[in-house]
Amino acid sequence: MSDDNVEDVEAFRQRAREWIRANLRRADGPGQTLRGKDEQQDLAEVAREREVQRMLFDAGFAGICVPKDYAGQGLTPAHQRAFNDELVGYEYPARLQVPPMTPCMAVLLEFGTEEQKQRHVPAILKGEEIWMQLLSEPSGGSDVAGALTSAVREGDEWLLNGSKIWTSGAWWADWGLVLARTNWDVPKHRGLSVFILPLNAPGVTVHRIEMLNGNREFCQEFLSDVRVPDSDRIGDVDDGWTVGVRWLFHERMQHNSPYVTRPTGATREGEKGSILKVVRDAGRIDDPVARELAGEALEIGLVTEALNHRVARGIMTGTMSDQAAAVGRLLMCVSLSRQSTIAFEIAGAAGGAWADDDGEAAERGTDFLMRQTPSIGGGTTEMARNVIAERVLGMPREQALDRNVPFREVPRGSARQ
Amino acid sequence: MLLQLSSDQEFFRETTDKFLTDQVPVEVLRRLRDEAAGYDADYWRRGAELGWTSLLVTEKHGGGNISGNGILDLTIVAHEFGAHAAPGPLIATNVVAAALAETDSHPDVIAGLLDGSTVATWCIDEPGRRPLDVDVEIRVDGDDLVINGVKRPVEAAEQASHLLVTGRTDDGLTQVLVPAETAGVTVTAMRSVDLTRRFGAVSFSDVRVPRAAAVGEVGQASAQVQRQFHLVLALVNAESVGAMQTAFDMTVEWGFDRYSFGRPLVSYQALKHRFADMKSWLEAGHAITDEAAEELGTGDDRAAMLLSAGKAFIGDYGGELIQDCVQLHGGLGVTFEHDVHLYLRRQTVNRALYGTPSQHRQRLADLGQQRDEAAANKVDA
């Protein structure tokens, strides 16, 4: 930022603090969990989050790192971090951050036409449009570029057919970013294109998936002759993978993205409550074994957070390649998994059967069943390890049988489709 | 290692790196195994001239730092020490120099530490006790202080001419600087896995020093001892990460060069994934070390937790990382001829000293509880 008029970070922090205290509600206890909830309650929470987003926008705190041309604040990541620090302990529009701000808005900002950006970015910052990504397909999770959803051109329109899966909140969101195949006669990475579409468009059917813990946030969408105007294409025809590579990068950035508003340290503490509360509610606060386990959970939480700061700074300053995001992601997933095991262990028998008044010791068994979720969603840890070995350390790529072959000739297992 | 060094810091790092490369290559380290002190006095003096002992000493006392955060600057040297498995009492001398400068005491000793002619060390650990759990007694007797008890392990105990002793006076802690030749001080050499670092057990039997030998106020040293302990943790963590970095780099290179069944080791996915894990632990070690040192240098109260998190993590995962480097080298990795053990030794000793990973996890729970209680009180108020 060479602009001399940029507000000093500390002055901004002060202004943010005053506004947050005067306008936002204190976050009450543990934040959102993955447990199943009443549909009306879900919708009410989404409505409140849209409202909070609008308040942020009106107060000049939405899109802190988004250029002013698109109704953002045109400030720096340091300003966003200061805001996030001050947000600790307060409500925030959690559902509107990842994936709506990143990767969706980040991709729009990077690849959208001027018209697309003017139409959608301010609406996103106002909480009027909530975006989700229609990326994964039932035919394969990690092999994103192997998308089978097809887009066929008809005059000024495209006709989309296929199915997308693992879209969070598609049943209450507004718009989607879609990766589709536009050419089957070239190798897989060269026949893709990216489109945007309203989730209530004719031909889109949204099905809610029930997870093993009762959560029904994830959706599968069926696209049947969905018509998308060519003006809603992002990037060039058949060049969708150029967009896709950055899309995945913005997705890996997650909470390190400068577009994300979120209380600092929310992963570690805010969403699950302090691990020490689990120790206390399990009645083990004087048990040295439980205390040491809690110490380990704190240890890996602090280390993961420090690593994420380092990687974010490294990528921002160009001392690390974009691919280094996988390093932070890998450790974060492994750590979250370990923390879940630790909380379950500390809960003791309450991990297997609990009562409503068990406080933070309750539901640890459920969390444990869902333990692998972070290591799967947003790219598995196996993929992260491949990225680190191949892209960060420069080791030889895994053999792939779909390279330099027209996509329609690539072998598919019977489980695909 | 800091992600971005200023040009002054980079110049400083490079100077130390070149000096160590030139003065203590691996052949020299192997030879120093048989030397009593584990380092050469002239080497230490020349290192001190490069600024190794002056970063935590105020300008008033003849020192000075580079960036305004002397602790952060010193972690650059500690990192290079680990990366080269370098000899010399870096941590011991710096802790004492910082303590003396902070309390404005023993200026003659500070001068000697700064020019490398004097070596001093901190006697803190005691047999069978947790770090900072002090049982050695420092009794006030008229104008004298009388010390009784045993400290071990003490780094460079036989090389140090001055011993900074932390002991208990009634309910408080006292620190005193004791000349090593004082009557009643006995130093017994200990054995260690580090090739060049020496340790001793120091016993104090009615050791009598004038009250003026106190470093800071008698019975009031608790906060100062905490600061020294934190400083040691910052340096030990930086040094271990340096050792991890060298072992990792060496192993990556080996993985590319070594062929089995007609393929380089790094073409096997099973091994690539292990390298990826190691890379994540390595970067995490850098990250937690640098963040902690930064916050310690600026007096942030998060520093204590970050330092213990780093000590526990680097102790455990640094050990796993370097042991995996050994594994990937096969039989060669456990020979004296191969270099990887030089770094494993350094990291291993550092893991055991100043609190094990397990002890630091317990400390983290204590600190976390204090933090939560403080936060709860703040909300109530």
Side-chain angles (χ1 to χ4, degrees), chain A residues 26 268-269 274 276 280 285 288 291-292 294-296 298-300 302-303 305-307 309-310 313-314 317 319-320 327 330-331 382 385-386 388-390 392-398, chain B residues 1-4 248 252 256 266-267 269 272-273 275-277 279-281 283-284 286-288 290-291 294 302 305-306 309 312-313 317 358 361-362 364-366 368-369 371-372 379:
Chain A
R26 296 281 311 177
R268 184 166 45 89
E269 308 269 6
S274 162
L276 286 161
R280 194 183 312 276
I285 198 70
R291 293 182 70 89
E292 185 179 342
E296 185 189 347
L298 290 169
E299 166 202 332
I300 53 184
L302 290 168
V303 169
E305 200 173 77
L307 176 61
H309 292 160
R310 178 180 172 88
R313 205 182 312 170
T317 55
T319 49
M320 289 182 187
V327 177
L330 173 60
L331 194 79
E382 284 74 17
R385 287 185 174 99
N386 277 354
I388 296 167
E390 297 174 1
V392 178
L393 297 173
M395 294 174 176
R397 302 282 300 270
E398 285 303 304
Chain B
M1 186 66 181
L2 297 175
L3 203 51
Q4 278 177 307
F248 179 74
V252 170
F256 275 95
V266 295
S267 69
Q269 193 176 38
K272 283 159 67 180
H273 281 196
F275 276 109
D277 283 330
K279 174 72 173 168
S280 75
W281 303 335
E283 289 300 324
H286 281 288
I288 190 72
D290 295 344
E291 195 160 307
E294 208 164 309
R302 270 183 5 115
M305 288 187 77
L306 294 173
F313 184 86
Y317 290 82
S358 163
R361 285 194 285 271
Q362 292 167 39
L364 269 171
D366 297 345
Q369 201 176 351
R371 183 197 58 185
D372 290 354
V379 170

Side-chain angles (χ1 to χ4, degrees), chain A residues 8-18 82 85-86:
Chain A
D8 171 71
V9 174
E10 284 315 306
F12 175 83
R13 180 191 294 276
Q14 189 59 36
R15 193 161 65 82
R17 179 182 306 163
E18 284 164 18
D85 287 345
E86 297 305 324

Side-chain angles (χ1 to χ4, degrees), chain B residues 133-198:
Chain B
D133 221 353
V134 173
D135 201 33
V136 162
E137 180 200 51
I138 302 182
R139 181 166 49 86
V140 180
D141 183 22
D143 289 339
D144 288 345
L145 297 171
V146 182
I147 312 164
N148 275 294
V150 177
K151 292 287 191 180
R152 61 167 272 192
V154 175
E155 190 189 341
E158 286 189 302
Q159 290 70 49
S161 61
H162 292 79
L163 309 167
L164 175 64
V165 185
T166 304
R168 184 163 293 286
T169 306
D170 302 323
D171 291 337
L173 292 180
T174 298
Q175 299 210 102
V176 60
L177 192 70
V178 179
E181 72 274 14
T182 310
V185 175
T186 314
V187 178
T188 313
M190 296 174 74
R191 293 150 65 93
S192 161
V193 293
D194 200 295
L195 286 190
T196 65
R197 201 156 271 182
R198 302 290 176 258

Side-chain angles (χ1 to χ4, degrees), chain A residues 358-378:
Chain A
D358 283 347
E360 289 289 326
E363 296 278 5
R364 294 301 154 186
T366 313
D367 287 350
F368 183 73
L369 296 184
M370 290 297 283
R371 191 188 79 167
Q372 293 308 112
T373 310
S375 297
I376 296 168

